[in-house]
Amino acid sequence: MISVIVPVFNEEKNILPLFERIENSLNKTKCTYEIIYINDGSRDNTFSTIKNLATKYDFVKYINFSRNFGHQIAVSAGLDLCIGSEAVIIDADGQDPPELIPSMFDKLNEGFEIVYARRNKRKGESGFKIFTAKVFYRILSRLTTIDIPLDTGDFRIIKRKVIDQIKNMPEKQKFLRGQMAWLGFRQTSIEYDRNERLSGKTNYTIRKMLRLATDGITSFSNFPLRLATISGFLCAFAGFLLILYTLYSRYILKDYEKGWSSLMITIVFLGGIQLIGIGIIGEYISRIYDNIRNRPLYIVDETNIKKTEK
Ligand code: UDP
Ligand code: MG
């Protein structure tokens, strides 16, 4: 059984056209299926449209949130409650073409656990969005040690193994494409050109994009914390050079301004020391943070060692 997970937020006009396309594509896979709509606090007729569908078709499920929790959390809820042996995550606005599902499914069965769809071109999106997304994915891949695929969203098909592991990751900040990359397993991609939205406009406001970006970076990199230490050392070093210069001008050039040097040295040097202090605290906090996240130390794919009772 394939579970299709569709997070929806104010998509009333897109539900029905997309539903037909999803259903047609799923029929081509010859599998049974369920389509789970997670209504993320829509303020239009999205939910009643979904409920209508659910009365007609028993493979249509819905999860209705009490308010808007955000796209990543909506997808997580879908993963928590789906029962398929595979799950497809897809946007409700038609930007992720459901027609790709059969070929993604075939690819998955060649022996992968995750097949994600990589965006070649992005139609109908602002230059600003495309640019910030490009920059973000590249910064992220510089900062992290895991291979988060460039230019991919959450449109993908995953196996039950992956769903179960994602459910085991306890962190409250969700950055699913990063978490899935962190899990490992056999992953591959197919490419596609991203279409325009069927109707409506993007629900990812700049604020939501920033939130996703900071969640992505802080969940997978402690580099920002280390910046304080690095800048501290740089400042302390500059302070040290100033001391040398002051001594030089005081005793060799014999040309100096009274009071200036002692003041500058104190400010720069102490500033440096303070930043180092903050940086060290940061190092500790980052480790505490790692622990509080409480991720499993490693992921076992398969083993022939039987679990023994203690
Ligand atoms: N979405 C959601 N909650 C939100 C924002 C978006 O469930 O707070 C859904 C939305 O309905 C769509 C998907 O997430 O199915 C992607 O959102 P959108 O198309 O607005 O983002 P973009 O494609 O512009 O990045
Ligand atoms: Mg979209």
Side-chain angles (χ1 to χ4, degrees):
M1 177 189 253
I2 303 181
S3 302
V4 179
I5 293 167
V6 197
V8 283
F9 178 57
N10 297 344
E11 306 275 9
E12 57 182 1
K13 295 216 181 72
N14 298 329
I15 304 265
L16 292 178
L18 198 79
F19 171 75
E20 276 174 26
R21 288 168 60 190
I22 295 178
E23 208 200 354
N24 283 336
S25 308
L26 286 172
N27 285 333
K28 287 193 188 126
T29 63
K30 308 267 183 294
C31 295
T32 55
Y33 49 83
E34 59 172 359
I35 304 180
I36 306 179
Y37 289 97
I38 303 94
N39 177 34
D40 189 12
S42 301
R43 283 175 224 111
D44 58 5
N45 290 321
T46 299
F47 186 49
S48 52
T49 317
I50 296 168
K51 265 177 120 173
N52 257 333
L53 273 181
T55 52
K56 279 188 225 147
Y57 306 95
D58 55 2
F59 58 84
V60 173
K61 311 271 163 65
Y62 54 79
I63 303 170
N64 190 33
F65 277 177
S66 61
R67 63 171 171 87
N68 180 253
F69 282 90
H71 167 246
Q72 297 286 304
I73 297 179
V75 174
S76 306
L79 291 173
D80 283 341
L81 298 180
C82 72
I83 54 170
S85 50
E86 288 88 19
V88 173
I89 302 170
I90 188 166
D91 281 0
D93 59 1
Q95 287 196 291
D96 303 335
E99 290 70 28
L100 284 182
I101 295 176
S103 48
M104 288 162 82
F105 181 70
D106 289 343
K107 191 99 188 183
L108 194 73
N109 288 331
E110 284 171 21
F112 296 96
E113 269 81 36
I114 300 177
V115 177
Y116 51 82
R118 188 195 294 269
R119 308 154 178 165
N120 261 335
K121 287 200 202 101
R122 305 177 79 161
K123 270 185 246 159
E125 287 178 296
S126 66
F128 174 74
K129 173 140 194 170
I130 297 176
F131 175 74
T132 48
K134 272 222 140 90
V135 171
F136 168 67
Y137 284 114
R138 272 141 195 94
I139 291 182
L140 188 66
S141 78
R142 275 286 167 84
L143 293 187
T144 59
T145 45
I146 50 166
D147 274 333
I148 298 176
L150 296 174
D151 303 325
T152 52
D154 289 312
F155 183 29
R156 57 190 62 209
I157 184 167
I158 58 182
K159 285 213 173 127
R160 171 53 55 184
K161 259 184 210 168
V162 180
I163 304 172
D164 288 341
Q165 294 297 348
I166 287 285
K167 282 161 73 174
N168 269 337
M169 294 175 91
E171 59 247 62
K172 302 284 180 277
Q173 304 85 3
K174 295 291 178 191
F175 185 64
L176 293 167
R177 54 202 87 159
Q179 288 174 254
M180 288 185 197
W182 181 89
L183 283 178
F185 293 122
R186 282 151 295 209
Q187 316 202 352
T188 188
S189 66
I190 61 170
E191 307 213 335
Y192 75 111
D193 291 339
R194 196 160 208 232
N195 289 319
E196 286 171 51
R197 265 185 160 267
L198 291 174
S199 98
K201 57 180 190 339
T202 175
N203 295 314
Y204 255 96
T205 52
I206 296 204
R207 211 172 112 196
K208 284 183 182 168
M209 271 161 61
L210 274 178
R211 168 145 213 130
L212 184 72
T214 43
D215 276 350
I217 290 176
T218 54
S219 299
F220 291 98
S221 165
N222 292 329
F223 180 74
L225 282 171
R226 222 160 276 141
L227 277 180
T229 323
I230 296 170
S231 52
F233 275 109
L234 287 179
C235 280
F237 185 64
F240 177 69
L241 290 184
L242 264 176
I243 294 177
L244 291 184
Y245 171 71
T246 312
L247 291 176
Y248 174 73
S249 52
R250 171 77 175 79
Y251 292 108
I252 297 180
L253 295 181
K254 302 213 184 318
D255 161 37
Y256 68 100
E257 195 84 42
K258 270 200 185 127
W260 181 88
S261 44
S262 48
L263 225 102
M264 278 312 281
I265 288 174
T266 325
I267 292 174
V268 175
F269 198 67
L270 269 187
I273 303 278
Q274 280 168 348
L275 279 176
I276 294 176
I278 295 175
I280 292 173
I281 295 173
E283 294 290 325
Y284 280 94
I285 292 181
S286 82
R287 281 158 183 79
I288 296 171
Y289 183 44
D290 277 343
N291 280 296
I292 289 180
R293 274 192 299 216
N294 203 13
R295 286 185 188 150
L297 206 52
Y298 54 84
I299 304 299
V300 179
D301 177 10
E302 261 178 46
T303 175
N304 57 2
I305 303 168
K306 300 244 158 47
K307 265 205 182 133
T308 48
E309 304 278 333
K310 254 192 206 156

